[in-house]
Amino acid sequence: MTIDDETMREIRRTVGADWQAGRHEPRDPEAALITPSLDEIAAAPGATQTQFRVTYERVGRHGGRGGRPAPAPLTVWAIGADGLAEHVLKDVRPYLASRDVEVAVDLEGMRGFIFAGLNNGGSFTVEQLAVAEGGATA
């Protein structure tokens, strides 16, 4: 299945013609300082935060296939697999034409998968870089 011209026009109209420009370049080190969202922290007060590096193997039809480079690795702080999956979903959204996207993270296997509808939307590996121990709350 290929993306038709109308879908590509819609993508360009929504996110701009250069929607992938710079996505393969190393990320700014300041981007790694992003902490879990307030909703994530509120759902798990005092939880342990972990810094992860996500290295994409393939994302959608454009990242890591046909000689094209995969997106640059993502370094982010998250609370658990669900929090990490949310960060990955935001990061890979521009690569996927499908609006029905889910991300699954297996922290035991240190792997993750991207599902775009009924199709395989990609995969990635996960590294744990640092841990910030949560404190007990009263």
Side-chain angles (χ1 to χ4, degrees), residues 61-85:
R61 295 184 183 111
H62 306 290
R65 288 179 82 175
R68 297 178 187 138
L74 170 69
T75 303
V76 65
W77 287 91
I79 299 173
D82 290 341
L84 180 57

Side-chain angles (χ1 to χ4, degrees), residues 14 64 88 91 100-101 124:
T14 303
V88 171
D91 194 47
D100 182 21
V101 178
F124 54 91

Side-chain angles (χ1 to χ4, degrees), residues 1 29 49 125 138:
M1 184 170 126
Q49 298 179 29
T125 58

Side-chain angles (χ1 to χ4, degrees), residues 27-35 50-56 72-78 84 87 91 127 129-130:
R27 297 177 190 274
D28 180 357
E30 293 295 315
L33 300 178
I34 298 170
T35 59
T50 307
Q51 185 180 37
F52 296 101
R53 178 182 302 126
V54 173
T55 304
Y56 299 106
L74 170 69
T75 303
V76 65
W77 287 91
L84 180 57
H87 288 292
D91 194 47
E127 297 174 69
L129 301 177

